[in-house]
Amino acid sequence: MKSVLRLLPLLAALALGAATTAQAAPLRWAAQNDILTLDPHSQDHNTSNAIGAHIYEGLTRLSQAYRPEPALATQWTYLSQTQVRFELRRGVKFHDGSPFTADDVVFSFGRITQPQGTKQTYVSGIKEVKKIDDYTVDLLLEAPTPMLLQNIISFPIMSKAWSVKNNTTNTQDYKAKEENFASRNANGTGPYKLVSWQPDQAVKLVANTAWWDKNPGNITELSYLPIKSPPTRVAALLSGDVDIVTDMPPQDFFRLKEDGKVKLLEGAETRTVFFVMDEGSDELRDASVKGKNPFKDKRVREALNLALDREAIKRTIMRGLSVPAALMVPPGVNGYDAALDKVAKPDLDKARKLLADAGYPQGFELPLHCPNNRYVNDEQVCQAAVSMWAKIGVKARLVATPFATHSQTFQRGESPFYMLGWGVSTYDALYAMQAWGHTRTNGADGNFNFGKVSDAPLDALIQKIKFEPDVPKRNALIKDALLRIRDEFLFIPIHHQIRPWAMKKNVDTLHRSNDYFEARYTTVK
């Protein structure tokens, strides 16, 4: 309630601002969780990335049709299968007025590859970025890299001079609760400039009138408002205090659709929500089992999967707005196959037998860490899972926290069992599997594998997928990898999210399945 009360004066002030700047087109956008950081190379977190994409740009960007198109690079030429020359856009300025050059690209590559960040996957396969002249760089590859142009969409370019000046050449170590200048300030080349960020209250942006491209929308001011409470978010939209909500609660969707007071954009999201198990530690942290790790046993992992009633979660918690998942990537992603995404019916008797065969006839106890403001009805889904697992003797103690805390906890290795959601921003299964499925390294491979999954056959498949140029062969490898993940029960997929957006009737925008609201595609009439 205190957070809601703090928010009300801000909403009122923003509403007043909208009323007194009629010639402009301010927009107030609300969703449930705040950004984690403004450091563009620190956290691969969708909300942070979506805000960051208004400020920072890559060499390529995602078109309306989800294809790579020129951004800070105007064109590229394959000099060989492992050397790609990028011609950089001339005349581009950072928000502080300094020029964009090849030095900034080389610097940003060195920064994003630092191990304390979690975004190395986006530069996977790149061995070196070499400056040819001020407006030309070569990307030298380890091997042919089919996903290069899609990956580097999410490789944000920072100003080297600004970073040096402000002592922020190193990527923020978020899990250690580190702050740096870039985590609270921003200086990109994108269509919007940062005005301010007040954590848990608002991120405020203003249109960059010196942007190199033409903004097709008319949004001159953008305010992002994290409103954790679903009823409060919906009430703010209905009262006109916010203009768009991009995570409409399922429990309100059908009511709003029927009464017609707001505009709804229906669409799936390329995100799968799942549970991660610590499969690498010799003993599970804070669990009742001592001296061994139940999750190392495939039978235990299968038992937990069998006890989860995904259809019940869809029916009672998600109000039908989810797709029960057996695969770890969603529809709309290259590699997804509906024929392989068939969820097994819950089988409690078999689950209990699997636990008994594994040596846990009475089950065991452990904490389950979940966010309470990140995914659709995340805490309620976790509560339901706790009840389901209790039926086979696995007593999970729910620890629900805001995502900012949740993320730091599992990245420090303090969550033996936790919920995560993964949006496939490249629209290719490799990005997901490489991040959370590959054995963890200091580089891109396994950079988000905080469950310590380590499966040699899966690693071998991922390595082949990274560099296989033949599309049918590559897709066959992806299928094998997804089946390996599914059939070894390396994770517990719950569902693929469906993510309708709701907005005032005078707002026109483009629904994005990657859950990236983009102000440049938005018009207020």
Side-chain angles (χ1 to χ4, degrees), residues 184-203:
R184 294 287 175 174
N185 300 273
N187 179 38
T189 59
Y192 290 85
K193 299 190 290 186
L194 177 71
V195 175
S196 63
W197 172 32
Q198 295 173 283
D200 297 320
Q201 294 187 48
V203 182

Side-chain angles (χ1 to χ4, degrees), residues 366-383:
L366 80 169
L368 173 68
H369 291 256
C370 289
N372 59 16
N373 67 342
R374 178 62 188 102
Y375 313 113
V376 179
N377 290 343
D378 42 16
E379 185 174 2
Q380 296 96 310
V381 170
C382 287
Q383 289 169 342

Side-chain angles (χ1 to χ4, degrees), residues 41-311:
H41 301 145
S42 176
Q43 291 297 296
D44 198 6
H45 168 244
N46 193 270
T47 307
S48 303
N49 290 344
I51 292 292
H54 287 81
I55 302 168
Y56 290 98
E57 298 176 291
L59 299 177
T60 58
R61 69 183 182 190
L62 205 61
S63 72
Q64 291 192 31
Y66 303 110
R67 305 287 185 189
E69 66 179 16
L72 291 181
T74 56
Q75 61 182 21
W76 43 88
T77 305
Y78 278 78
L79 302 182
S80 73
Q81 287 189 317
T82 57
Q83 184 174 3
V84 189
R85 178 155 294 173
F86 285 79
E87 304 295 332
L88 304 182
R89 194 174 297 277
R90 295 171 183 264
V92 174
K93 303 285 188 182
F94 285 98
H95 295 160
D96 66 357
S98 61
F100 158 69
T101 70
D103 290 331
D104 303 306
V105 182
V106 175
F107 165 76
S108 297
F109 176 73
R111 196 175 188 277
I112 199 173
T113 54
Q114 294 172 7
Q116 67 270 28
T118 61
K119 300 182 76 170
Q120 302 95 328
T121 310
Y122 295 116
V123 291
S124 177
I126 303 174
K127 183 169 57 177
E128 180 186 355
V129 176
K130 184 178 180 181
K131 176 182 176 180
I132 305 303
D133 59 40
D134 282 348
Y135 294 100
T136 311
V137 295
D138 282 0
L139 270 56
L140 306 180
L141 311 179
E142 298 172 20
T145 305
M147 291 301 298
L148 178 68
L149 297 178
Q150 288 92 328
N151 285 344
I152 61 175
I153 288 168
S154 300
F155 166 34
I157 305 303
M158 290 182 73
S159 164
K160 177 181 179 180
W162 182 81
S163 299
V164 170
K165 175 185 175 183
N166 293 295
N167 193 30
T168 188
T169 57
N170 288 331
T171 300
Q172 174 197 22
D173 189 346
Y174 180 79
K175 66 181 181 297
K177 300 184 179 180
E178 177 185 85
E179 294 283 352
N180 64 18
F181 191 78
S183 67
R184 294 287 175 174
N185 300 273
N187 179 38
T189 59
Y192 290 85
K193 299 190 290 186
L194 177 71
V195 175
S196 63
W197 172 32
Q198 295 173 283
D200 297 320
Q201 294 187 48
V203 182
K204 298 191 72 174
L205 308 175
V206 64
N208 175 17
T209 57
W211 189 38
W212 58 267
D213 199 6
K214 181 181 179 181
N215 192 331
N218 70 343
I219 306 305
T220 53
E221 300 172 24
L222 176 65
S223 297
Y224 174 71
L225 308 170
I227 306 176
K228 177 183 173 182
S229 165
T232 305
R233 282 201 309 283
V234 174
L237 177 65
L238 292 176
S239 68
D241 287 331
V242 302
D243 301 297
I244 183 168
V245 172
T246 54
D247 53 359
M248 178 54 52
Q251 53 268 35
D252 294 294
F253 172 76
F254 295 103
R255 173 175 62 86
L256 293 178
K257 186 174 183 179
E258 186 173 331
D259 68 27
K261 292 179 181 177
V262 297
K263 183 190 299 184
L264 293 168
L265 286 184
E266 300 181 43
E269 182 187 5
T270 51
R271 178 179 303 279
T272 303
V273 181
F274 52 96
F275 293 109
V276 181
M277 299 161 281
D278 176 354
E279 298 170 34
S281 297
D282 292 331
E283 181 178 295
L284 288 181
R285 182 185 180 102
D286 300 327
S288 61
V289 177
K290 303 301 179 185
K292 58 181 178 178
N293 180 352
F295 290 150
K296 287 180 178 284
D297 194 313
K298 176 182 174 180
R299 293 169 294 187
V300 173
R301 303 195 301 267
E302 183 178 0
L304 291 169
N305 267 276
L306 276 172
L308 197 65
D309 190 339
R310 296 161 175 86
E311 288 291 345

Side-chain angles (χ1 to χ4, degrees), residues 44 46 62 122 150 154 270 423-428 431 514 516:
D44 198 6
N46 193 270
L62 205 61
Y122 295 116
Q150 288 92 328
S154 300
T270 51
V424 187
S425 56
T426 64
Y427 292 85
D428 185 88
Y431 159 68
N514 60 358
Y516 271 37

